[in-house]
Amino acid sequence: MPSTTVYNMAGEAIDQLELSEQVFGVTPNVAVLHQVVTAQLVNRRQGNASTQTRSEVSGGNKKPYKQKGTGRARQGSTRSPQFRHGGVVWGPRPHPYHHDVPKKMRRLAIRSALSDKVANESLIVVNDLTLDTPRTKEMLNILGKLPSNEGKRVLMVLPRRDENVVLSTRNIPGAKVQHVSSINVVELLKHDYVVMPVKTVRWIEMVFGEGVSAEEASVRIAETAGTTEETVAPEAVASTESDSEA
């Protein structure tokens, strides 16, 4: 079973996390990766490039000059392609570029990309990734302490949107923040390192390993976080009361 080291935001190794064999331990399928990446890039194309034919260009209703006697070639309209400001022949027209890929192939591509990151030690798992206030300098310090090479592109995948993390990262070249529900093969392959909290790892294992829906996985993660807080809170109160009594 694959495993990885869990770091805190100070860059210290604090735990060892076992990963799902179904998600992080598969043999990467290069053919499926290629097909899914190609389809995703094709689907990004808007397909709205357009040119006007001679029937769509304004003007040109009047014959430019008489048919005979000028010594020039006969012309019926100045909107013909050979004239300046005339229509375009075989120019681009708006059309869709959509390419469908089966859901099983898309999920296999995600698992292949994640397994490749684990095999190359490019997956960095942290216990938590939060900031109290938006501060680029603090985010640079966190990235500098994590085991990622300087100058490499880093993708941070969060279990829920954190505005402080997003604002702290948007001015850092080569760094990007993304919600886990938007995870895709192109972004995983484009970035050299992927940083994700433990909650993100569990969300991915539920969705891509157990077949749980994205909404249900998010609810389970939220419930787990709530249960943890409720369990820890009474202990924290007790310790505070005992300290005050001492």
Side-chain angles (χ1 to χ4, degrees):
M1 180 177 290
S3 62
T4 185
T5 304
V6 180
Y7 299 89
N8 57 18
M9 290 194 293
E12 303 169 345
I14 60 174
D15 197 4
Q16 197 73 14
L17 181 67
E18 290 187 354
L19 304 174
S20 172
E21 184 76 27
Q22 289 180 296
V23 180
F24 296 95
V26 303
T27 302
N29 192 318
V30 179
V32 172
L33 278 171
H34 177 268
Q35 187 168 345
V36 173
V37 168
T38 302
Q40 187 174 336
L41 294 178
V42 165
N43 292 339
R44 289 183 179 182
R45 300 184 66 178
Q46 294 181 345
N48 56 1
S50 178
T51 55
Q52 292 180 321
T53 63
R54 62 179 295 169
S55 64
E56 297 170 326
V57 178
S58 62
N61 293 328
K62 183 180 178 181
K63 189 175 176 67
Y65 47 82
K66 64 180 182 177
Q67 181 83 348
K68 296 179 180 294
T70 62
R72 302 173 66 181
R74 55 192 174 187
Q75 302 293 339
S77 172
T78 55
R79 301 301 89 181
S80 299
Q82 64 268 26
F83 282 98
R84 185 169 179 264
H85 300 308
V88 178
V89 181
W90 306 119
R93 306 294 295 174
H95 68 282
Y97 285 96
H98 186 70
H99 182 198
D100 283 325
V101 178
K103 182 177 180 180
K104 288 185 178 181
M105 291 183 62
R106 296 198 303 267
R107 295 203 164 191
L108 176 58
I110 293 289
R111 292 196 295 267
S112 298
L114 292 172
S115 299
D116 180 71
K117 293 296 182 185
V118 173
N120 294 320
E121 298 182 353
S122 300
L123 177 66
I124 302 174
V125 179
V126 294
N127 62 337
D128 198 9
L129 187 59
T130 56
L131 294 175
D132 296 331
T133 57
R135 188 168 176 82
T136 304
K137 184 176 181 180
E138 188 173 351
M139 179 57 69
L140 284 172
N141 291 334
I142 294 174
L143 294 177
K145 294 175 182 178
L146 294 175
S148 59
N149 294 335
E150 186 177 356
K152 296 293 185 178
R153 289 170 294 189
V154 179
L155 174 66
M156 286 172 277
V157 186
L158 302 180
R160 61 179 181 275
R161 181 176 177 83
D162 190 328
E163 201 66 28
N164 292 335
V165 177
V166 173
L167 295 176
S168 302
T169 311
R170 64 180 180 178
N171 288 332
I172 302 177
K176 182 177 181 179
V177 179
Q178 183 176 341
H179 191 271
V180 65
S181 61
S182 304
I183 189 170
N184 61 85
V185 181
V186 172
E187 295 298 332
L188 289 176
L189 297 181
K190 187 169 69 175
H191 291 83
D192 303 296
Y193 290 92
V194 179
V195 179
M196 58 178 64
V198 177
K199 293 180 182 178
T200 300
V201 175
R202 296 311 181 200
W203 189 96
I204 292 174
E205 290 178 344
M206 290 182 192
V207 174
F208 296 98
E210 303 174 13
V212 178
S213 65
E215 294 79 7
E216 185 178 351
S218 300
V219 171
R220 290 187 185 182
I221 293 296
E223 289 177 352
T224 303
T227 303
T228 305
E229 292 175 359
E230 292 174 1
T231 304
V232 174
E235 297 177 356
V237 173
S239 61
T240 305
E241 293 175 353
S242 60
D243 292 340
S244 60
E245 290 174 358

